[in-house]
Amino acid sequence: METVLVREYRAELIECIHSGHIAIVGEDGKLKGYAGDPGFVSFTRSAAKPLQAIPGIRGGIAEHYHLTQAEIALMTASHRGESYHITALESISSKVGVGENNMLCATSYPLDDNSREEAIRGLGKRKIYHNCSGKHLGILSYSQLKGFPLGKYADRDHPVQREIINTLAYMADVAPESIGLGTDGCGLPVFALPLTALAGAYLKLACPSLIGDMATREAVTTITAAMNAHPEMVSGYGRLDSILLEDDNIIAKGGFKGVYCFGLRRERLGIAFKVLDGSEEEWGLIVHSILKQIGYSNENTMKKLHAAYPGDIYNDGGTRVGSAEAEFKLEIL
């Protein structure tokens, strides 16, 4: 059964209750803590992006196309379409020799408010503005390098997509055929896994020494180093992903509809949770509470999280009108 993760209050009355599930996995692959049902099966959505980047990096696209760390980080990103994102995306496109006409994601406006306004006043919607465009360029880069068809890179039977699902299965320690498949918002395959398996995959992202295959280990090291070096590329300044990635002990990435994953290097823990109503506003409170309950030692990160997600609710005029509180208690094993 799900458990209450966050309650929201307005005028001291409960307005919303956000329930869900949490799984914490240790380096021995066993469950170390949980709330609700740690085996709950969730679609990964964009939390899979660092894992989807592994085949291309393992296959040599960074060296072949002379990609920078910032460009590698963008391949894991749900970016906001800010100017520095677009500059780096256009650089990847130029280096690889693929354009927006090759991208299968929809045209979009940037998610960042200022960038969106500039786009509306300028060129209008573009595929490169789509928050998943870095992932698409990564897959196109690998397809171009290998000589695979570019026009069908979103198909489940495309060689890159087959390599992605096998890599995900390897990282999550599950059989490929056990992974549920759907179609993501950007048109690419999306995967359904138990939270315990997602947590295990993020543990390996944070602790590549746990990966037996050397080529995969080196690719993960390259990808996660880029994410920590350029957290602003993974989402944007002040976003939860970026706040956590500023801490070099953490690898983190969220996905649409309430799924969030992160791994802790020193503690050698992988953590995944799902907010069942799909809300993302509560992520920061949930992450802060998890870290507090396991005794996380980086006070600077804890202070950043508290400052960014204090739990206060304001109306449009800036008046405090309520609060949100994380109310779950982890079962520590």
Side-chain angles (χ1 to χ4, degrees):
M1 296 292 291
E2 70 266 20
T3 191
V4 173
L5 299 179
V6 174
R7 295 183 196 268
E8 293 182 11
Y9 298 86
R10 186 179 299 267
E12 299 183 356
L13 295 174
I14 292 176
E15 185 170 39
C16 295
I17 298 176
H18 303 278
S19 298
H21 308 283
I22 302 171
I24 304 175
V25 171
E27 62 179 314
D28 59 1
K30 295 181 179 179
L31 192 67
K32 300 300 180 184
Y34 69 94
D37 176 9
F40 181 81
V41 175
S42 172
F43 277 109
T44 55
R45 304 303 298 264
S46 288
K49 285 176 176 174
L51 300 159
Q52 289 169 293
I54 293 172
I57 298 301
R58 184 174 58 201
I61 62 171
E63 296 82 6
H64 186 81
Y65 295 115
H66 306 289
L67 301 176
T68 66
Q69 272 197 319
E71 290 164 354
I72 293 169
L74 260 175
M75 293 179 177
T76 75
S78 298
H79 66 79
R80 309 293 293 174
E82 297 179 71
S83 60
Y84 57 90
H85 294 135
I86 303 308
T87 297
L89 289 162
E90 290 177 336
S91 173
I92 297 170
S93 177
S94 176
K95 288 177 179 180
V96 176
V98 296
E100 291 183 66
N101 59 308
N102 299 116
M103 297 169 65
L104 298 178
C105 55
T107 59
S108 176
Y109 285 118
L111 295 177
D112 174 68
D113 289 342
N114 291 332
S115 301
R116 180 184 180 88
E117 184 174 345
E118 289 178 9
I120 291 172
R121 295 175 182 275
L123 298 175
K125 292 183 177 182
R126 295 179 61 188
K127 290 184 177 182
I128 210 163
Y129 291 154
H130 194 289
N131 75 97
C132 296
S133 60
K135 174 178 66 175
H136 283 252
L137 283 174
I139 294 173
L140 280 167
S141 300
Y142 190 34
S143 297
Q144 180 91 315
L145 177 63
K146 298 289 285 186
F148 296 145
L150 301 185
K152 296 185 177 181
Y153 71 87
D155 291 357
R156 294 177 185 181
D157 62 352
H158 189 276
V160 175
Q161 294 298 342
R162 290 201 302 268
E163 190 173 344
I164 285 172
I165 197 165
N166 286 330
T167 300
L168 174 60
Y170 175 71
M171 292 289 288
D173 197 24
V174 298
E177 58 271 18
S178 74
I179 297 175
L181 290 174
T183 302
D184 214 335
C186 66
L188 294 184
V190 64
F191 319 103
L193 295 167
L195 290 176
T196 48
L198 272 176
Y202 264 77
L203 171 61
K204 290 178 182 175
L205 287 175
C207 304
S209 63
L210 297 174
I211 301 171
D213 179 70
M214 181 61 71
T216 302
R217 184 190 308 172
E218 290 176 352
V220 167
T221 300
T222 296
I223 291 164
T224 55
M227 293 172 72
N228 284 127
H230 296 278
E232 77 286 352
M233 288 293 182
V234 179
S235 54
Y237 290 108
R239 308 285 299 178
L240 179 60
D241 290 343
S242 298
I243 292 171
L244 292 175
L245 288 166
E246 287 170 359
D247 183 337
D248 61 12
N249 187 51
I250 300 178
I251 287 297
K253 184 70 185 71
F256 196 44
K257 295 299 181 181
V259 62
Y260 203 88
C261 306
F262 59 106
L264 305 177
R265 293 190 169 100
R266 286 190 301 273
E267 297 78 4
R268 299 178 84 78
L269 294 173
I271 301 161
F273 64 83
K274 168 75 172 180
V275 182
L276 286 176
D277 62 11
S279 179
E280 301 175 14
E281 293 178 358
E282 296 71 38
W283 280 352
L285 290 173
I286 295 168
V287 170
H288 185 271
S289 182
I290 291 171
L291 291 174
K292 183 176 181 180
Q293 290 186 53
I294 66 173
Y296 191 61
S297 61
N298 190 325
E299 292 185 6
N300 186 45
T301 297
M302 298 299 283
K303 288 178 180 177
K304 285 182 180 179
L305 286 170
H306 180 70
Y309 306 98
D312 296 318
I313 296 174
Y314 295 91
N315 68 8
D316 296 341
T319 301
R320 186 182 184 279
V321 295
S323 65
E325 300 175 10
E327 296 197 4
F328 62 91
K329 181 176 181 355
L330 292 172
E331 295 289 338
I332 303 298
L333 303 177

